[in-house]
Structure formats: C-alpha cells, structure tokens
Amino acid sequence: MNWIDKLERRFGRYGIPHLVNGLMLGQAIVGLIVLFFNWKFAYLVTLNRDAVLHGQVWRLITFLFQPIWLGSALGVLNLLFYFWIGNALERLWGDFRMTLYVALGVLGAWISCFLSGAASPNAIYLSMLFAYTWLWPNQSVLLFGLIPFKMKYLGWFELAVWVWQFIWGDRFTRISLVLGMLGFLVFFGREIFFWCKDTILGYKRRRDWEKRNRF
C-alpha cells in the first residue's frame, strides 16, 4: 500500500477524527426518528439518483445514516458491534486511512447510484466487518453477549450471504454489492489475491503428494 502511504504523507491532515463515532451517532439518531417520530424520514436520507439530480444533494452524504440496524434480529447490538469494530480499525489505521477507506466505499456507492438509480450503505459497513475479520480472524467475540465465537466464522457467514445476494440479485444489486466494497478491495485486494493463489497451489501440492504416495 505504498501509494496510500504517499497519500497519507501529503493529505494526512484531512483525515476526519472520530469518523466512526459520527457515523454510528448518525445511524442511531436517524433510527430513533424513524422508530418514534416519522417512519418516512428514512426516505429523506437515502441515496436516490433522481432526487440528487433534482437538487437533493445532501443525500450523497446522509445515505450513510440510513439505519442498517433497524429490522435486524440483533437491533441495537448490531449498531454497537459496528461501533466496536469501526473504532478498532480507526485506532489501527489512524484518521486518514479510516477516512479514505470509508470515502472509497462512498465513491463506489455514488457510482452504483448513478448506474442503477439507488444505493445503500450496507456494503460499506459490511466492508468494515470484512476488514476487521481479515486483520483479526481469531479474535473472539460474544454472540448475543453470551456465546463465544471467532470473527472468521462470522466473516465466512457474511461472505456466504454476500455471494448469495450477488448470485440471485439483479445486475443493479450486483453493482451495488461490488462497488460498495471498493474500500476493502483497494486496501486488501492484493493480499486476498495472493492468499487465494497460495491456498489453491497448496491444495494442488497436497493432492499431488497424496496421489504419488497412495500406494
């Protein structure tokens, strides 16, 4: 990631401090408004191409506050979980890299919106989970605050859901799923490519060895 290092040296002062805290606070506020005051409020913050082209440019940012935790089986726990993993990434990377990571996902969502007509922040937040899982796969967490499990298992489960949605979704859904992950692909794409390559080659070597030593 040499080019990211160069960007950080040049533009590091533009990193947004406590970005994840701001995103989660916005998620919480919009969610509470939707729950207790006006359920239609959610439609005022979503990213919609026609609305943006008609002057509602705030949606280019406010779509990040579209409450992804509403309707979830885990609800508020889901919001707290993203707060936790997001802050862990921010402590590791610093303000600039965290800002760049989110900004790449936002850019992907914008492109997706203007190609397909709309976009959600789901893939951006999911990319944070994937980043955390890639960096700390053996980190133990408590499901429902009670059941211990490792992050890599959650990562594989979420990846399976992502693949399922990609396979069975329409082309606009696929565009959104891929472009929303732009931050993850830029930060970790090279590592993932070589990991997949080494895994496949390792499997082939083991299979060839077993064939040669079968009898």
Side-chain angles (χ1 to χ4, degrees):
M1 298 201 301
N2 290 334
W3 66 274
I4 297 181
D5 294 331
K6 293 178 181 177
L7 283 178
E8 186 169 18
R9 285 194 294 269
R10 186 171 182 179
F11 303 108
R13 63 185 180 278
Y14 296 113
I16 302 174
H18 310 298
L19 174 61
V20 173
N21 292 349
L23 293 175
M24 294 302 104
L25 180 61
Q27 284 269 327
I29 291 173
V30 172
L32 290 174
I33 292 174
V34 171
L35 278 175
F36 297 109
F37 299 101
N38 185 358
W39 64 269
K40 295 182 180 179
F41 184 76
Y43 296 105
L44 297 178
V45 301
T46 55
L47 186 54
N48 179 278
R49 179 179 61 199
D50 293 337
V52 172
L53 293 177
H54 281 84
Q56 298 180 18
V57 294
W58 66 80
R59 294 174 181 266
L60 294 171
I61 299 299
T62 58
F63 84 100
L64 288 168
F65 304 135
Q66 182 182 342
I68 62 172
W69 55 282
L70 289 184
S72 167
L74 298 179
V76 175
L77 289 178
N78 199 25
L79 183 65
L80 294 174
F81 181 69
Y82 276 105
F83 171 83
W84 174 61
I85 62 175
N87 274 277
L89 293 172
E90 195 166 10
R91 285 193 298 271
L92 176 68
W93 288 338
D95 295 336
F96 175 77
R97 292 189 182 223
M98 190 71 233
T99 302
L100 177 62
Y101 190 86
V102 173
L104 287 169
V106 169
L107 175 62
W110 289 351
I111 297 172
S112 174
C113 172
F114 283 94
L115 288 176
S116 63
S120 78
N122 293 33
I124 297 174
Y125 290 111
L126 182 60
S127 75
M128 291 168 53
L129 185 149
F130 284 160
Y132 188 98
T133 303
W134 183 259
L135 292 167
W136 298 290
N138 293 311
Q139 172 71 50
S140 294
V141 294
L142 296 178
L143 181 64
F144 305 114
L146 298 171
I147 306 171
F149 69 101
K150 292 184 177 180
M151 281 297 302
K152 60 184 178 183
Y153 301 126
L154 177 61
W156 283 115
F157 172 77
E158 293 292 350
L159 178 60
V161 173
W162 186 95
V163 171
W164 176 268
Q165 292 174 340
F166 182 86
I167 292 174
W168 294 104
D170 56 30
R171 65 187 180 94
F172 300 124
T173 298
R174 292 170 183 169
I175 291 172
S176 179
L177 286 171
V178 172
L179 291 180
M181 300 290 292
L182 189 58
F184 181 76
L185 295 174
V186 169
F187 271 59
F188 300 102
R190 182 181 175 86
E191 293 180 40
I192 292 170
F193 171 79
F194 285 111
W195 178 82
C196 292
K197 180 181 177 181
D198 291 342
T199 301
I200 293 171
L201 291 176
Y203 170 77
K204 288 182 177 178
R205 284 194 294 267
R206 287 194 302 271
R207 187 182 61 181
D208 292 341
W209 184 89
E210 289 173 355
K211 287 181 178 179
R212 289 194 301 269
N213 295 274
R214 184 170 296 174
F215 301 105

Short mmCIF file of all heavy atoms in Angstrom, two decimals, residues 185-210:
data_model
loop_
_atom_site.label_atom_id
_atom_site.label_comp_id
_atom_site.label_asym_id
_atom_site.label_seq_id
_atom_site.Cartn_x
_atom_site.Cartn_y
_atom_site.Cartn_z
N LEU A 185 -11.64 -3.72 -1.26
CA LEU A 185 -10.91 -4.24 -2.41
C LEU A 185 -9.61 -3.48 -2.63
O LEU A 185 -8.58 -4.07 -2.97
CB LEU A 185 -11.79 -4.15 -3.66
CG LEU A 185 -13.04 -5.03 -3.65
CD1 LEU A 185 -13.91 -4.74 -4.87
CD2 LEU A 185 -12.67 -6.51 -3.59
N VAL A 186 -9.63 -2.18 -2.41
CA VAL A 186 -8.42 -1.37 -2.59
C VAL A 186 -7.40 -1.67 -1.49
O VAL A 186 -6.20 -1.83 -1.77
CB VAL A 186 -8.77 0.13 -2.61
CG1 VAL A 186 -7.51 0.99 -2.52
CG2 VAL A 186 -9.53 0.47 -3.89
N PHE A 187 -7.85 -1.76 -0.26
CA PHE A 187 -6.95 -1.96 0.87
C PHE A 187 -6.40 -3.39 0.92
O PHE A 187 -5.24 -3.59 1.27
CB PHE A 187 -7.67 -1.64 2.17
CG PHE A 187 -7.56 -0.20 2.59
CD1 PHE A 187 -8.03 0.82 1.77
CD2 PHE A 187 -7.01 0.15 3.81
CE1 PHE A 187 -7.94 2.14 2.15
CE2 PHE A 187 -6.91 1.47 4.21
CZ PHE A 187 -7.38 2.48 3.37
N PHE A 188 -7.23 -4.37 0.59
CA PHE A 188 -6.84 -5.76 0.82
C PHE A 188 -6.86 -6.63 -0.42
O PHE A 188 -6.55 -7.82 -0.33
CB PHE A 188 -7.77 -6.39 1.87
CG PHE A 188 -7.74 -5.70 3.20
CD1 PHE A 188 -8.76 -4.85 3.57
CD2 PHE A 188 -6.68 -5.91 4.07
CE1 PHE A 188 -8.74 -4.21 4.80
CE2 PHE A 188 -6.66 -5.28 5.30
CZ PHE A 188 -7.68 -4.41 5.66
N GLY A 189 -7.23 -6.07 -1.57
CA GLY A 189 -7.37 -6.88 -2.78
C GLY A 189 -6.11 -7.64 -3.14
O GLY A 189 -6.17 -8.83 -3.48
N ARG A 190 -4.95 -6.99 -3.06
CA ARG A 190 -3.70 -7.65 -3.40
C ARG A 190 -3.41 -8.81 -2.45
O ARG A 190 -3.03 -9.90 -2.88
CB ARG A 190 -2.55 -6.64 -3.37
CG ARG A 190 -1.19 -7.20 -3.76
CD ARG A 190 -0.12 -6.11 -3.67
NE ARG A 190 1.20 -6.64 -3.93
CZ ARG A 190 1.74 -6.79 -5.13
NH1 ARG A 190 1.03 -6.45 -6.21
NH2 ARG A 190 2.96 -7.27 -5.28
N GLU A 191 -3.59 -8.58 -1.15
CA GLU A 191 -3.35 -9.63 -0.16
C GLU A 191 -4.29 -10.81 -0.39
O GLU A 191 -3.88 -11.98 -0.29
CB GLU A 191 -3.55 -9.09 1.26
CG GLU A 191 -2.54 -8.06 1.69
CD GLU A 191 -2.83 -7.58 3.11
OE1 GLU A 191 -3.20 -8.42 3.95
OE2 GLU A 191 -2.72 -6.37 3.36
N ILE A 192 -5.54 -10.52 -0.67
CA ILE A 192 -6.52 -11.58 -0.89
C ILE A 192 -6.17 -12.40 -2.12
O ILE A 192 -6.29 -13.63 -2.13
CB ILE A 192 -7.94 -10.98 -1.01
CG1 ILE A 192 -8.36 -10.39 0.34
CG2 ILE A 192 -8.94 -12.03 -1.46
CD1 ILE A 192 -9.63 -9.59 0.27
N PHE A 193 -5.73 -11.72 -3.18
CA PHE A 193 -5.35 -12.41 -4.41
C PHE A 193 -4.23 -13.42 -4.13
O PHE A 193 -4.32 -14.59 -4.54
CB PHE A 193 -4.90 -11.42 -5.47
CG PHE A 193 -4.30 -12.06 -6.68
CD1 PHE A 193 -5.11 -12.63 -7.65
CD2 PHE A 193 -2.92 -12.11 -6.85
CE1 PHE A 193 -4.56 -13.24 -8.77
CE2 PHE A 193 -2.36 -12.71 -7.96
CZ PHE A 193 -3.18 -13.28 -8.93
N PHE A 194 -3.19 -12.98 -3.43
CA PHE A 194 -2.06 -13.88 -3.16
C PHE A 194 -2.44 -14.97 -2.16
O PHE A 194 -1.94 -16.09 -2.23
CB PHE A 194 -0.85 -13.08 -2.67
CG PHE A 194 -0.15 -12.34 -3.77
CD1 PHE A 194 -0.20 -10.96 -3.83
CD2 PHE A 194 0.53 -13.03 -4.77
CE1 PHE A 194 0.45 -10.27 -4.86
CE2 PHE A 194 1.18 -12.35 -5.79
CZ PHE A 194 1.13 -10.97 -5.85
N TRP A 195 -3.34 -14.66 -1.22
CA TRP A 195 -3.81 -15.68 -0.28
C TRP A 195 -4.58 -16.76 -1.04
O TRP A 195 -4.37 -17.96 -0.79
CB TRP A 195 -4.70 -15.04 0.77
CG TRP A 195 -5.26 -16.04 1.75
CD1 TRP A 195 -4.64 -16.56 2.85
CD2 TRP A 195 -6.57 -16.64 1.69
NE1 TRP A 195 -5.48 -17.45 3.48
CE2 TRP A 195 -6.66 -17.52 2.80
CE3 TRP A 195 -7.65 -16.52 0.84
CZ2 TRP A 195 -7.80 -18.26 3.06
CZ3 TRP A 195 -8.80 -17.26 1.08
CH2 TRP A 195 -8.86 -18.12 2.19
N CYS A 196 -5.45 -16.34 -1.96
CA CYS A 196 -6.20 -17.32 -2.76
C CYS A 196 -5.25 -18.14 -3.62
O CYS A 196 -5.41 -19.37 -3.73
CB CYS A 196 -7.23 -16.61 -3.63
SG CYS A 196 -8.59 -15.85 -2.73
N LYS A 197 -4.27 -17.48 -4.22
CA LYS A 197 -3.30 -18.17 -5.06
C LYS A 197 -2.52 -19.21 -4.26
O LYS A 197 -2.37 -20.36 -4.69
CB LYS A 197 -2.35 -17.16 -5.69
CG LYS A 197 -1.30 -17.77 -6.60
CD LYS A 197 -0.39 -16.69 -7.17
CE LYS A 197 0.71 -17.30 -8.03
NZ LYS A 197 1.62 -16.26 -8.58
N ASP A 198 -2.02 -18.80 -3.08
CA ASP A 198 -1.25 -19.73 -2.24
C ASP A 198 -2.12 -20.88 -1.76
O ASP A 198 -1.65 -22.02 -1.66
CB ASP A 198 -0.67 -18.98 -1.05
CG ASP A 198 0.43 -18.00 -1.45
OD1 ASP A 198 0.97 -18.15 -2.56
OD2 ASP A 198 0.72 -17.08 -0.66
N THR A 199 -3.38 -20.59 -1.43
CA THR A 199 -4.29 -21.64 -0.96
C THR A 199 -4.54 -22.67 -2.05
O THR A 199 -4.51 -23.89 -1.79
CB THR A 199 -5.63 -21.02 -0.51
OG1 THR A 199 -5.39 -20.08 0.55
CG2 THR A 199 -6.58 -22.10 -0.02
N ILE A 200 -4.78 -22.20 -3.27
CA ILE A 200 -5.04 -23.12 -4.39
C ILE A 200 -3.79 -23.95 -4.71
O ILE A 200 -3.87 -25.17 -4.90
CB ILE A 200 -5.49 -22.33 -5.63
CG1 ILE A 200 -6.86 -21.70 -5.38
CG2 ILE A 200 -5.54 -23.24 -6.86
CD1 ILE A 200 -7.30 -20.74 -6.45
N LEU A 201 -2.63 -23.30 -4.75
CA LEU A 201 -1.39 -24.03 -5.03
C LEU A 201 -1.08 -25.04 -3.94
O LEU A 201 -0.62 -26.15 -4.21
CB LEU A 201 -0.23 -23.04 -5.19
CG LEU A 201 -0.27 -22.15 -6.44
CD1 LEU A 201 0.88 -21.16 -6.42
CD2 LEU A 201 -0.22 -23.00 -7.70
N GLY A 202 -1.34 -24.64 -2.68
CA GLY A 202 -1.12 -25.56 -1.57
C GLY A 202 -2.01 -26.78 -1.66
O GLY A 202 -1.58 -27.90 -1.40
N TYR A 203 -3.28 -26.54 -2.04
CA TYR A 203 -4.21 -27.66 -2.20
C TYR A 203 -3.75 -28.60 -3.31
O TYR A 203 -3.78 -29.83 -3.16
CB TYR A 203 -5.60 -27.13 -2.49
CG TYR A 203 -6.58 -28.20 -2.91
CD1 TYR A 203 -7.14 -29.06 -1.97
CD2 TYR A 203 -6.92 -28.36 -4.25
CE1 TYR A 203 -8.03 -30.05 -2.35
CE2 TYR A 203 -7.81 -29.36 -4.64
CZ TYR A 203 -8.36 -30.20 -3.68
OH TYR A 203 -9.24 -31.19 -4.07
N LYS A 204 -3.29 -28.02 -4.42
CA LYS A 204 -2.82 -28.84 -5.54
C LYS A 204 -1.59 -29.65 -5.15
O LYS A 204 -1.47 -30.83 -5.51
CB LYS A 204 -2.52 -27.96 -6.74
CG LYS A 204 -3.75 -27.40 -7.42
CD LYS A 204 -3.38 -26.57 -8.63
CE LYS A 204 -4.62 -26.07 -9.36
NZ LYS A 204 -4.27 -25.22 -10.53
N ARG A 205 -0.68 -29.03 -4.40
CA ARG A 205 0.53 -29.75 -3.98
C ARG A 205 0.17 -30.91 -3.06
O ARG A 205 0.72 -32.00 -3.17
CB ARG A 205 1.50 -28.79 -3.29
CG ARG A 205 2.25 -27.87 -4.24
CD ARG A 205 3.42 -27.20 -3.54
NE ARG A 205 2.96 -26.29 -2.50
CZ ARG A 205 2.75 -24.99 -2.70
NH1 ARG A 205 2.95 -24.45 -3.91
NH2 ARG A 205 2.35 -24.22 -1.72
N ARG A 206 -0.76 -30.70 -2.13
CA ARG A 206 -1.18 -31.77 -1.22
C ARG A 206 -1.86 -32.89 -2.00
O ARG A 206 -1.62 -34.08 -1.74
CB ARG A 206 -2.13 -31.22 -0.15
CG ARG A 206 -1.45 -30.37 0.90
CD ARG A 206 -2.36 -30.15 2.10
NE ARG A 206 -3.61 -29.52 1.72
CZ ARG A 206 -3.80 -28.20 1.66
NH1 ARG A 206 -2.78 -27.38 1.93
NH2 ARG A 206 -4.98 -27.70 1.32
N ARG A 207 -2.70 -32.53 -2.95
CA ARG A 207 -3.39 -33.54 -3.75
C ARG A 207 -2.40 -34.35 -4.58
O ARG A 207 -2.51 -35.58 -4.66
CB ARG A 207 -4.41 -32.87 -4.66
CG ARG A 207 -5.30 -33.86 -5.41
CD ARG A 207 -6.25 -33.15 -6.33
NE ARG A 207 -5.52 -32.36 -7.33
CZ ARG A 207 -6.11 -31.60 -8.25
NH1 ARG A 207 -7.42 -31.51 -8.28
NH2 ARG A 207 -5.38 -30.94 -9.13
N ASP A 208 -1.41 -33.68 -5.18
CA ASP A 208 -0.40 -34.39 -5.98
C ASP A 208 0.44 -35.30 -5.10
O ASP A 208 0.78 -36.43 -5.50
CB ASP A 208 0.50 -33.38 -6.70
CG ASP A 208 -0.25 -32.60 -7.77
OD1 ASP A 208 -1.31 -33.07 -8.20
OD2 ASP A 208 0.24 -31.52 -8.17
N TRP A 209 0.78 -34.83 -3.90
CA TRP A 209 1.57 -35.65 -2.98
C TRP A 209 0.80 -36.90 -2.57
O TRP A 209 1.35 -37.99 -2.50
CB TRP A 209 1.96 -34.82 -1.76
CG TRP A 209 2.85 -35.56 -0.80
CD1 TRP A 209 4.20 -35.61 -0.81
CD2 TRP A 209 2.42 -36.36 0.31
NE1 TRP A 209 4.66 -36.39 0.22
CE2 TRP A 209 3.59 -36.86 0.92
CE3 TRP A 209 1.18 -36.69 0.85
CZ2 TRP A 209 3.55 -37.69 2.05
CZ3 TRP A 209 1.13 -37.51 1.97
CH2 TRP A 209 2.31 -38.00 2.54
N GLU A 210 -0.51 -36.73 -2.29
CA GLU A 210 -1.33 -37.87 -1.89
C GLU A 210 -1.45 -38.88 -3.02
O GLU A 210 -1.45 -40.09 -2.80
CB GLU A 210 -2.72 -37.38 -1.48
CG GLU A 210 -2.72 -36.62 -0.15
CD GLU A 210 -4.08 -35.99 0.14
OE1 GLU A 210 -4.96 -36.08 -0.74
OE2 GLU A 210 -4.24 -35.41 1.23
#
